[in-house]
Amino acid sequence: MLKQKSLAKLLPLTVAAAGFFATAAVADVAPSDVVIVDDNEIPQALTDTAGDAAKGRELAVNRKKGNCLACHVMPIDEHGFHGEVGPSLWGVGGNYSAAELRLRVVNYKVLNEDVIMPAFYVNSNKMHRVLKKFEDKTLLSAQEVEDIVAYLQTLTEEQPD
Amino acid sequence: MKIKSLVISAATVALASTAYIGLSVAFDDDSHDWGDYQVEDRRSGYTYRSAETRALQDDEFENPGMVGVDHGAELWNIAEGSEGKACADCHGDASESMAKVGATYPKFNAASSKPINVEQRINLCRVENMGAEPFKYESGEMLNMTAFVKNQSLGEPVNVVIDGEMAPFFEKGKEFYYERRGQLDMACSHCHEDNEGNMIRADHLSQGQINGFPTYRFKWQKLGSVHRRFRGCNKNIRATPYKYGSDEYVNLELYLTWRGRGLPIETPAVRN
């Protein structure tokens, strides 16, 4: 079911979307080429390089990147102030497949159009009045999404009471 | 004067750095009686702040925003412009002429056929009645004069007209409130309506009420206008802010004032 795409079409898109993330690999799936299955999962990884869970953990904390901690309680003890806006992410690795987690990080609005959670891999050209320096970008690069998905998969333990 | 403000700013620095600790105090307890600071389900930002911050606001002498109000009181009596008039020459004692005025803005202005806020009303008087230069929007003079005028309505319930000729502007403000914007693609409602009371990282989300503006923020170390706050909340979600005094922000101010109907004017409120 995956779309066949020519390199010629893929290249400029990837370069534009990756913006200043100089590490973008040539084979990254561009935001507009991401294939969503059953409105619930994205089976195809966005890059050829396997996600790095340790990097994903850092990205989840980083306020300028994932900032997942702003809204979610997570098993990250060394940082205080976990948010209460979304559900706890303890155990999500056991509850969802990698493909399901990828969809949730790429664009949760597919599941809930009113959600506050930002879509981390949708081009900001689709949004209203974006500050100039964030125009034509995604919040995370394709590789960063993969890193975070790899990290979420490690969260299999349920939150202790 | 100098010494007094130095002492105050030292105190506020200390408070600013402890404020986040104070934040963890839970105010979500629905049974708490917030008195005038709550009307039905509408709660002033005051009720989401720490006990220290609230105490500072309540103390007329310690409240760091009162320095601005005092300066506004001085300006009230100073003649300026080609007419050689001061505010006081036409309006007399502000505690009488301006009582309740601040609680009724934004108000419809027939000359421009749109709502204006207190800042804009002050500048109309400066330009048209005094023949003076308008204050720059976020200047100390403008903030202090606005704070002084609003402070005359301290405790007065917010009561703004939204029907008749105001209706289309109210609707625009409401639309703005619910419209997603910025790279984070969020509307005001996502944080201040859907998640009011929740922690978003270190911040305790309030309803984003505006009954305390101009507000003294520890972060700013001075008074700031409600439009400055709008700009901050826009930029935080990576959205291009509108200009100070823009029609968009005045409409939003009108809508938000109505959302806080019945809450008391708190100017100058103290926030972290």
Side-chain angles (χ1 to χ4, degrees), chain B residues 136-241:
Chain B
K136 283 184 72 182
Y137 202 93
E138 203 66 12
S139 64
E141 284 102 337
M142 178 58 101
L143 290 164
N144 295 343
M145 183 58 88
T146 305
F148 172 68
V149 169
K150 285 231 175 159
N151 183 251
Q152 307 310 310
S153 306
L154 190 68
E156 195 60 37
V158 166
N159 176 20
V160 73
V161 174
I162 59 162
D163 56 1
E165 48 211 349
M166 291 292 264
F169 303 98
F170 176 82
E171 287 306 321
K172 280 185 199 155
K174 181 176 179 180
E175 235 167 75
F176 191 115
Y177 189 81
Y178 288 103
E179 188 174 24
R180 289 184 183 271
R181 65 191 65 243
Q183 194 190 16
L184 295 189
D185 203 27
M186 291 178 195
C188 316
S189 55
H190 282 117
C191 286
H192 294 300
E193 186 172 86
D194 302 347
N195 282 292
E196 162 251 322
N198 283 332
M199 297 297 292
I200 187 161
R201 216 146 178 171
D203 292 315
H204 191 207
L205 282 169
S206 74
Q207 298 177 351
Q209 298 288 3
I210 60 173
N211 52 312
F213 282 87
T215 286
Y216 184 95
R217 279 189 79 191
F218 302 129
K219 183 180 164 190
W220 295 335
Q221 289 287 298
K222 65 198 281 277
L223 288 173
S225 70
V226 69
H227 291 196
R228 181 171 183 192
R229 195 44 133 143
F230 292 168
R231 287 172 61 86
C233 277
N234 277 171
K235 287 189 271 186
N236 281 347
I237 53 170
R238 302 184 176 178
T240 312

Side-chain angles (χ1 to χ4, degrees), chain A residues 35-43 95-105 107-108 110-111:
Chain A
V35 178
I36 296 166
V37 177
D38 295 337
D39 282 348
N40 186 44
E41 36 180 51
I42 300 173
N95 299 337
Y96 296 107
S97 68
E100 288 169 329
L101 291 169
R102 190 174 292 112
L103 180 275
R104 281 152 181 76
V105 177
N107 186 6
Y108 204 105
V110 171
L111 297 166

Side-chain angles (χ1 to χ4, degrees), chain A residues 60-64 67 69-71 79-85 109 113-116 118 124 127-132 134 137-139, chain B residues 20-21 23-24 28 179-186 190-191 194-195 197-205 234-235 238-242:
Chain A
V61 172
N62 187 327
R63 288 166 200 268
K64 298 216 153 101
N67 198 17
L69 263 194
C71 295
H79 292 275
F81 302 122
H82 297 203
E84 313 172 321
V85 171
K109 281 159 204 156
E113 63 173 1
D114 297 326
V115 81
I116 185 174
S124 60
M127 287 132 200
H128 176 53
R129 280 187 79 84
V130 175
L131 270 177
K132 197 146 203 82
F134 298 111
K137 290 193 168 70
T138 54
L139 283 167
Chain B
Y20 282 130
I21 300 166
L23 273 177
S24 57
D28 297 335
E179 188 174 24
R180 289 184 183 271
R181 65 191 65 243
Q183 194 190 16
L184 295 189
D185 203 27
M186 291 178 195
H190 282 117
C191 286
D194 302 347
N195 282 292
N198 283 332
M199 297 297 292
I200 187 161
R201 216 146 178 171
D203 292 315
H204 191 207
L205 282 169
N234 277 171
K235 287 189 271 186
R238 302 184 176 178
T240 312
Y242 287 88

Side-chain angles (χ1 to χ4, degrees), chain A residues 8-88:
Chain A
K9 184 182 161 211
L10 183 60
L11 248 176
L13 274 171
T14 319
V15 171
F20 52 82
F21 304 112
T23 51
V26 178
D28 290 0
V29 177
S32 53
D33 288 333
V34 170
V35 178
I36 296 166
V37 177
D38 295 337
D39 282 348
N40 186 44
E41 36 180 51
I42 300 173
Q44 190 198 6
L46 305 181
T47 68
D48 287 342
T49 311
D52 177 334
K55 281 192 190 150
R57 191 179 191 276
E58 280 168 33
L59 290 163
V61 172
N62 187 327
R63 288 166 200 268
K64 298 216 153 101
K65 292 291 188 175
N67 198 17
C68 318
L69 263 194
C71 295
H72 294 286
V73 171
M74 306 176 74
I76 298 181
D77 286 344
E78 73 275 22
H79 292 275
F81 302 122
H82 297 203
E84 313 172 321
V85 171
S88 162

Side-chain angles (χ1 to χ4, degrees), chain B residues 49-64:
Chain B
R49 306 280 65 98
S50 70
E52 297 94 318
T53 304
R54 283 181 276 135
L56 201 61
Q57 175 175 320
D58 293 339
D59 188 326
E60 193 187 334
F61 301 101
E62 294 292 321
N63 181 328

Side-chain angles (χ1 to χ4, degrees), chain B residues 99-111:
Chain B
K100 303 189 183 189
V101 168
T104 61
Y105 273 73
K107 231 187 221 176
F108 194 74
N109 179 244

